[in-house]
Amino acid sequence: MSIEIANESGVEVDEGTIVAVARYALDRMSVSQLAELSIVLVELNVMSDLHERWMDLPGPTDVMAFPMDEYDSSRRPDAAGSGPALLGDIVLCPAFAKDQARKAGHELIDELHLLTVHGVLHLLGYDHAEPEEEREMFGLQNRILADYRTARDEAERAAAQRDADNRVLGAVGLDQGAEPDVPRD
């Protein structure tokens, strides 16, 4: 799966975790490993222009998704057996998302993760215009984010344990890769 990210926002963020959460969401949705996705982080004025041009709404917003094609059931990138697919672009605005993160009581990166998953779901054809669609999309979004956080935390714990184990093994001369001292005749 190819995920390209470009940060043109002027706001420093951990781009690697944005790609990781996008990849996790795409994997959870069974999107082909041959799929391609682009994520762009932009400034307020760029997002405002995009929002006006494509949604006919004034001012900036937090996330916009631009699918490459309209999906039908036989061409959806999350449909079983689908081949390579250009999913489209997700555009994030960290400057706009900062205030939302503060109001929600979490960090900017957590808000960007939420917006990334939201954008992925839009690219896959999910919407929230109607109450039933909103319940489905937001429920799925929340499950993906919760599962991502759990998987990330477990991976971090495992890495920390491996590091601790390697330090102990190294302290007693049993570090990995080292040949044990064997008496020779």
Side-chain angles (χ1 to χ4, degrees):
M1 188 169 307
S2 173
I3 301 174
E4 300 292 325
I5 188 166
N7 188 351
E8 302 168 0
S9 71
V11 177
E12 278 196 44
V13 298
D14 185 348
E15 297 166 21
T17 66
I18 293 171
V19 169
V21 78
R23 184 176 314 280
Y24 187 86
L26 292 168
D27 286 345
R28 279 289 304 271
M29 299 303 295
S30 301
V31 173
S32 168
Q33 290 298 308
L34 302 174
E36 297 179 23
L37 170 67
S38 172
I39 302 171
V40 182
L41 288 74
V42 298
E43 296 175 334
L44 282 168
N45 61 337
V46 173
M47 184 60 97
S48 185
D49 289 345
L50 290 171
H51 199 217
E52 281 188 44
R53 181 184 313 156
W54 295 102
M55 301 298 291
D56 204 25
L57 295 170
T61 189
D62 50 5
V63 60
M64 293 184 72
F66 297 93
M68 289 302 287
D69 297 311
E70 291 297 319
Y71 299 120
D72 61 54
S73 61
S74 65
R75 293 209 13 94
R76 281 182 62 129
D78 58 339
S82 64
L86 296 174
L87 295 176
D89 302 317
I90 297 173
V91 182
L92 304 171
C93 186
F96 192 89
K98 271 185 183 179
D99 190 47
Q100 291 178 162
R102 184 186 53 75
K103 288 177 183 172
H106 55 239
E107 299 293 320
L108 172 61
I109 196 65
D110 296 319
E111 187 72 14
L112 293 172
H113 289 169
L114 181 148
L115 297 172
T116 299
V117 172
H118 190 86
V120 164
L121 292 176
H122 273 308
L123 292 179
L124 297 177
Y126 289 87
D127 202 358
H128 48 86
E130 299 297 324
E132 186 175 315
E133 293 174 334
E134 182 176 338
R135 278 190 299 278
E136 178 186 16
M137 182 176 179
F138 282 59
L140 183 55
Q141 173 182 294
N142 291 339
R143 282 191 303 278
I144 290 170
L145 282 168
D147 292 348
Y148 168 76
R149 289 181 189 119
T150 298
R152 179 195 62 199
D153 293 347
E154 288 173 3
E156 288 173 0
R157 277 193 293 277
Q161 185 62 54
R162 277 191 306 277
D163 289 346
D165 291 348
N166 287 337
R167 282 193 303 278
V168 168
L169 292 172
V172 296
L174 297 174
D175 53 340
Q176 292 181 353
E179 292 291 320
D181 290 333
V182 177
R184 301 191 193 270
D185 295 323

